[in-house]
């Protein structure tokens, strides 16, 4: 009792010192995944080449996914503060290059460069928390930081739309400059690591195989998102590349002296379950963020501004849920029980959207907020569990695996949801034309121009197709729920 009393002030003082230095990179990394989405139509109108415009997002995701484990491994070897400065500097230069782009091809190349920095922002931020904070207090810090980051991710499309409408699409990228510069200045407030650096030999063959795997996987995901235009032979070639590169990567990692993905982490049941939970989390939450605006636009006929207002509870819910989970878990020491219960709520409520059909808007908005609130019980627990199990020498490597898992889950989960939507519409006799695809991407003018009868038919068919989409997304949460209930480590 007497020893616990004075612990609070040092924790609060430490939080004031390191939180800004960690929160800013986390913000940039999370908002960078979603802020560009609403600017894509304007970018396409300005630069042309609309056929390649989605690669502005995909190129960034590929670069982030490839470099996340690299930063984790290099951070373990050479220091996480130094690698954070490198990541922020690359992301800053990449943002400037994006704003200066005069063609879609140039913008895609700049987004790759920006993603080379973005890959380290989230994983290094989380690793710096565990480097600086005692295990029992980590949940509180993860709650603060993750709440900030996930709120930024959810607000990204709204923020991107506001910036684009008022200052042009270039402002979406220039917006990153002040936080990146301030982040570089603040990162040295984080205490240096206390454990000694260990001998290190980078796993270049593993990186090449991993790059082949991730690049092929995300390109295939992009192909699946547009089933009407999918090239079957190309898709099959990508599938073969994915399988072969993954098998070779696994073989390589078991033989490498300093593997990019140490097998000792994957053998740990707490860590692999946490990674699987992160994959599912990316799948159901990002899929909801991507699909709900389409649902509201086509089924309810709402404008972009109305959609933004209706989704505010969803934007705020995950931040508050993550914050509350971190606070309670830090005080009680309990951890796994929060996602175990929260994911039951998510799975049941998302499935409820499929069973109940069209809810009144005054019910739908708080309903989405509750789903988001329950979603906030997951990632802080996942991060803290992985970091507690991995130990000091592999802390950054293990943490980067969480970021990578969530990113891949988001890409795959969203692609499968979109594919199911189009497949259901096609099965109901709706031709998957360019006009229909533009309507499902938010073109209300295209829908209104088809006439009242056709418009009503499209709305009804899309509403029916979304029932299956909601059931699919609920299944991601259900799988994650099983993983949470079977997580061996229940306390921190």
């Amino acid at each position: 009792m007497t020893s616990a009393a004075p612990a609070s002030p040092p924790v609060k003082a430490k939080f004031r010192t390191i939180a800004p230095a960690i929160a800013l990179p986390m913000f940039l990394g999370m908002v960078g995944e979603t802020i560009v989405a609403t600017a894509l139509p304007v970018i396409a109108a300005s630069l042309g080449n609309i056929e390649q415009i989605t690669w502005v997002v995909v190129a960034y995701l590929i670069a982030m996914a490839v470099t996340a484990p690299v930063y984790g491994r290099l951070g373990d070897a050479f220091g996480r503060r130094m690698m954070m400065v490198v990541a922020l500097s690359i992301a800053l230069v990449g943002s400037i290059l994006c704003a200066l782009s005069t063609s879609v091809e140039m913008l895609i190349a700049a987004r790759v460069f920006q993603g080379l920095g973005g890959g380290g922002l989230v994983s290094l931020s989380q690793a710096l928390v565990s480097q600086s904070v005692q295990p029992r207090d980590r949940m509180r810090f993860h709650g603060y930081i993750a709440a900030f980051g996930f709120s930024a991710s959810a607000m990204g499309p709204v923020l991107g739309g506001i910036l684009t409408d008022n200052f042009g699409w270039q402002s979406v990228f220039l917006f990153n400059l002040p936080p990146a510069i301030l982040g570089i200045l603040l990162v040295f407030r984080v205490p240096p690591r206390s454990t000694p650096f260990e001998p290190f030999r980078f796993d270049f063959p593993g990186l090449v195989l991993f790059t082949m795997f991730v690049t092929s996987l995300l390109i295939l995901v992009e192909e699946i998102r547009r089933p009407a235009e999918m090239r079957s032979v190309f898709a099959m070639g990508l599938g073969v590349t994915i399988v072969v590169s993954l098998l070779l990567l696994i073989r390589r990692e078991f033989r490498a002296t300093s593997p990019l993905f140490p097998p000792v982490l994957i053998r740990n049941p707490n860590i692999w379950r946490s990674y699987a939970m992160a994959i599912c989390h990316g799948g159901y939450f990002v899929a909801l963020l991507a699909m709900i605006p389409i649902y509201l636009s086509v089924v309810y006929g709402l404008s972009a501004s109305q959609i933004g207002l209706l989704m505010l509870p969803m934007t705020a819910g995950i931040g508050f849920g993550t914050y509350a989970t971190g606070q309670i878990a830090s005080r009680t020491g309990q951890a796994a029980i929060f996602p175990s219960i929260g994911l039951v709520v998510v799975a049941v409520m998302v499935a409820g959207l499929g069973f109940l059909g069209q809810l009144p808007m005054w019910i739908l908005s708080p309903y989405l907020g509750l789903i988001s609130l329950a979603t906030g019980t997951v990632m802080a627990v996942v991060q803290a569990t992985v970091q507690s199990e991995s130990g000091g020498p592999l802390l950054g490597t293990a943490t980067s695996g969480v970021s990578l898992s969530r990113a891949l889950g988001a890409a795959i989960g969203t692609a499968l949801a979109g594919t199911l939507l189009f497949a259901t519409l096609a099965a109901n006799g709706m031709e998957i034309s360019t006009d229909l695809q533009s309507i499902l991407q938010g073109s209300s003018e295209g829908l209104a121009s088809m006439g009242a009868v056709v418009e009503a038919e499209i709305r009804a068919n899309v509403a029916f197709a979304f029932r299956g989409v909601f059931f699919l997304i609920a299944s991601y949460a259900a799988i994650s729920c099983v993983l949470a209930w079977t997580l061996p480590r229940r306390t921190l």
Side-chain angles (χ1 to χ4, degrees), residues 198-453:
E198 298 193 2
F200 175 75
R201 184 177 181 181
F202 192 76
D203 182 17
F204 284 105
L207 177 60
V208 171
L209 292 169
F210 176 65
T211 302
M212 290 174 58
F213 168 71
V214 169
T215 304
S216 301
L217 178 63
L218 293 182
I219 292 174
L220 181 60
V221 164
E222 183 60 22
E223 286 283 308
I224 292 173
R225 282 179 177 171
R226 297 176 294 176
E229 304 170 17
M230 190 169 69
R231 297 160 289 182
S232 56
V233 175
F234 180 58
M236 289 176 60
L238 290 172
V240 171
T241 303
I242 290 168
V243 173
V244 172
S245 60
L246 179 60
L247 292 175
L248 291 176
L249 176 62
I250 293 172
R251 181 172 178 267
R252 165 68 191 177
E253 297 308 274
F254 275 97
R255 297 185 175 188
T257 305
S258 299
L260 191 63
F261 302 99
V264 66
L265 295 178
I266 306 302
R267 291 193 187 104
N268 187 316
N270 286 292
I271 292 180
W272 74 254
R273 279 182 172 84
S274 295
Y275 285 165
M277 287 172 65
I279 291 173
C280 294
H281 181 276
Y284 63 77
F285 186 63
V286 177
L288 278 176
L289 283 179
M291 304 304 288
I292 287 294
I294 300 173
Y295 180 68
L296 296 176
S297 175
V298 180
V299 177
Y300 286 81
L302 301 183
S303 65
S305 59
Q306 290 173 322
I307 292 171
L309 288 173
L310 193 143
M311 290 182 66
L312 279 177
M314 189 176 182
T315 302
I318 189 166
F320 183 77
T322 306
Y323 167 80
T325 299
Q327 294 298 303
I328 298 171
S330 180
R331 287 176 170 84
T332 63
Q334 300 297 317
I337 189 62
F338 296 102
S340 298
I341 295 174
L343 286 164
V344 172
V345 176
V346 174
V348 170
M349 292 190 71
V350 176
L353 290 172
F355 283 116
L356 299 173
Q358 244 178 293
L359 296 172
M361 282 187 289
W362 66 271
I363 294 179
L364 182 60
S365 185
Y367 193 94
L368 293 173
L370 287 173
I371 292 174
S372 184
L373 182 69
T375 298
T377 61
V378 179
M379 287 306 294
V381 174
V382 166
Q383 287 282 7
T385 300
V386 167
Q387 291 172 349
S388 296
E389 289 287 320
S390 61
L394 294 176
L395 181 63
T397 303
T399 302
S400 69
V402 176
S403 303
L404 172 64
S405 298
R406 184 181 176 274
L408 293 179
I412 297 169
T414 306
L416 291 177
T419 302
L420 178 61
L421 177 65
F422 280 111
T424 306
L425 291 173
N428 288 339
M430 292 191 67
E431 182 183 354
I432 310 302
S433 62
T434 303
D435 289 338
L436 179 58
Q437 291 195 29
S438 67
I439 289 169
L440 293 175
Q441 292 167 358
S443 176
S444 57
E445 293 83 2
L447 184 60
S449 67
M450 292 184 171
V453 175

Side-chain angles (χ1 to χ4, degrees), residues 35-83:
I35 193 172
V36 181
T38 46
L40 290 181
V42 177
I43 294 174
S46 173
L47 301 181
N49 205 349
I50 191 172
E51 295 82 5
Q52 296 183 10
I53 198 63
T54 55
W55 279 94
V56 173
V57 174
V58 176
Y60 182 80
L61 292 176
I62 289 175
M64 276 193 71
V66 168
T67 54
V70 175
Y71 278 107
R73 202 72 184 93
L74 293 179
D76 289 338
F78 303 117
R80 299 176 189 105
R81 294 195 310 175
M82 184 185 75
M83 295 311 303

